[in-house]
Amino acid sequence: DFTSSLSITTPDQMIEKAKGETAYLPCKFTLSPEDQGPLDIEWLLSPADNQKVDQVIILYSGDKIYDDYYQDLKGRVHFTSNDLKSGDASINVTNLQLSDIGTYQCKVKKAPGVGNKKIQLTVLVKPSGTRCYVDGSEEIGSDFKLKCEPKEGSLPLQYQWQKLSNSEKLPASLLAEMTLPVISVRNATTEYSGMYSCTVTNRVGSDQCLLRLDVVPPSNKAGTIAGAVVGTLLALVLIGFIVFCCRKKRREEKYEKEVHHDIREDVPPPKSRTSTARSYIGSNHSSLGSMSPSNMEGYSKTQYNQVPSEDFERTPQSPTLPPAKVAAPNLSRMGAVPVMIPAQSKDGSIV
């Protein structure tokens, strides 16, 4: 890969960086007096996915820089030197992503000299979002586990537990598990209580979480269950009472609406029989007052003991009796005093 003139002094190497950081990829070269042609510098990327072909990511040719060849790295790859002819073709790749993992190749041409070098770039993820918690019941005599779980982080990961108070009282079996992501506690005692820390580390960073452990006496589970049952029953009774009240109120409102619609205020009350009878008697009195003895002959044969019906204009059913001009009402039924009307006999005397 080397000619007798141009040479790249940077050796092949592997670089590991964390996601989001900037990777410096060195590529320094020397020229000889024989190298008289134009200077061309080219960087290529062979992605970790073998299905993708090599991609040109940045190019220097004819005293111009071209850095828009590869869309995934556009705006994130730059030459570190302002004077590339001085022998420095190194680049920076900013805001590293997992897709940037691969083999980068630096090619330098200045006729007749040609040289190239390869750099393996690995992007790792720092541990982050680490969570510490207790899996199980924190009671005396019980078994539970202390767990330490990072949300993300590139493998391999190393774990380190530490008790921040009274660590000398921990049993040897627990101390042996301080480098594991999970610590198993059996037959717990109050000596396990205290503050714990867990640190997760990989090659590019670390993260930590804290855990407060309180080992307490066993709780009265039977009383707790009984209390829960009683509380549930009371809640059901209260709900049933509320539903009953609501239904009762709805029935009352419905009944009031029905009664309101049945009463018609615009219909006058019916007339009583007493008022009808009184009006009839008044009219008879006025007509009788105008009679003379000469025209009272038709009334002398009227049956006063007959009870008139409510239909005052109906004619008598007997053909032998002459029709009366006015039927006298039964005044005793109407609460009035009967009045005797004189009549004229056949010989002309007043009866």
Side-chain angles (χ1 to χ4, degrees):
D1 295 336
F2 293 92
T3 63
S4 58
S5 55
L6 187 149
S7 64
I8 296 179
T9 59
T10 301
D12 294 344
Q13 55 184 298
M14 296 181 62
I15 298 176
E16 289 182 347
K17 285 292 182 179
K19 178 183 176 181
E21 294 183 347
T22 298
Y24 169 70
L25 307 183
C27 182
K28 295 184 178 181
F29 60 93
T30 59
L31 300 173
S32 67
E34 293 82 4
D35 300 325
Q36 298 295 324
L39 177 64
D40 292 330
I41 300 174
E42 183 181 45
W43 278 90
L44 296 91
L45 169 62
S46 300
D49 186 356
N50 294 327
Q51 296 180 357
K52 296 181 180 180
V53 299
D54 294 353
Q55 297 286 338
V56 177
I57 60 174
I58 193 168
L59 175 66
Y60 173 81
S61 179
D63 295 332
K64 291 184 179 181
I65 297 175
Y66 305 91
D67 58 0
D68 56 352
Y69 286 98
Y70 189 46
Q71 190 65 30
D72 290 349
L73 284 173
K74 186 176 181 180
R76 296 193 294 119
V77 58
H78 312 280
F79 284 109
T80 60
S81 176
N82 295 326
D83 184 10
L84 299 179
K85 295 179 180 180
S86 63
D88 188 0
S90 304
I91 60 172
N92 283 332
V93 179
T94 62
N95 190 22
L96 288 173
Q97 304 298 318
L98 296 179
S99 59
D100 299 337
I101 297 174
T103 301
Y104 292 76
Q105 184 175 192
C106 174
K107 290 184 177 182
V108 181
K109 300 177 182 179
K110 189 172 177 61
V114 177
N116 67 76
K117 281 293 180 181
K118 293 182 179 180
I119 299 176
Q120 183 69 40
L121 175 63
T122 302
V123 180
L124 302 177
V125 178
K126 293 180 180 180
S128 64
T130 305
R131 173 173 170 253
C132 296
Y133 64 97
V134 180
D135 184 6
S137 177
E138 302 176 44
E139 296 180 351
I140 296 176
S142 62
D143 299 339
F144 54 83
K145 295 179 180 180
L146 307 182
K147 293 187 176 182
C148 180
E149 296 179 354
K151 185 176 181 180
E152 61 179 2
S154 299
L155 301 176
L157 296 172
Q158 292 81 39
Y159 296 85
Q160 184 60 56
W161 284 90
Q162 183 180 2
K163 188 178 182 185
L164 304 180
S165 61
N166 300 326
S167 59
E168 66 278 357
K169 295 183 179 181
L170 290 176
S173 59
L174 191 64
L175 293 174
E177 297 181 355
M178 287 297 197
T179 57
L180 300 177
V182 180
I183 297 177
S184 298
V185 178
R186 298 176 178 83
N187 193 20
T189 63
T190 56
E191 295 178 350
Y192 288 91
S193 299
M195 185 68 71
Y196 291 78
S197 69
C198 175
T199 303
V200 186
T201 307
N202 65 5
R203 294 194 298 267
V204 292
S206 63
D207 193 30
Q208 186 182 65
C209 63
L210 297 176
L211 170 65
R212 175 70 185 182
L213 177 62
D214 293 316
V215 181
V216 297
S219 59
N220 186 3
K221 296 183 178 180
T224 303
I225 295 174
V229 172
V230 172
T232 303
L233 292 177
L234 290 176
L236 292 176
V237 171
L238 179 60
I239 293 173
F241 178 73
I242 293 174
V243 172
F244 172 77
C245 293
C246 292
R247 289 184 176 179
K248 183 179 179 182
K249 185 176 180 181
R250 289 180 181 176
R251 288 197 298 268
E252 292 176 353
E253 292 177 352
K254 183 177 181 182
Y255 176 76
E256 291 177 358
K257 289 181 179 179
E258 291 177 353
V259 173
H260 177 73
H261 289 305
D262 289 342
I263 298 176
R264 297 178 59 185
E265 297 180 354
D266 57 342
V267 178
K271 297 181 179 180
S272 63
R273 293 184 177 180
T274 304
S275 61
T276 305
R278 288 178 180 176
S279 61
Y280 173 76
I281 293 171
S283 63
N284 282 345
H285 277 225
S286 61
S287 61
L288 290 175
S290 61
M291 290 183 179
S292 63
S294 60
N295 58 10
M296 294 178 63
E297 181 180 0
Y299 293 91
S300 61
K301 297 180 181 181
T302 304
Q303 302 296 323
Y304 292 98
N305 57 350
Q306 294 182 357
V307 180
S309 63
E310 293 181 0
D311 187 3
F312 299 115
E313 296 180 358
R314 187 172 56 188
T315 59
Q317 300 295 328
S318 176
T320 58
L321 297 176
K325 294 183 179 181
V326 178
N330 190 345
L331 303 179
S332 61
R333 292 181 58 187
M334 303 178 184
V337 179
V339 178
M340 300 299 293
I341 302 174
Q344 185 177 11
S345 65
K346 294 182 178 180
D347 55 0
S349 60
I350 302 299
V351 185

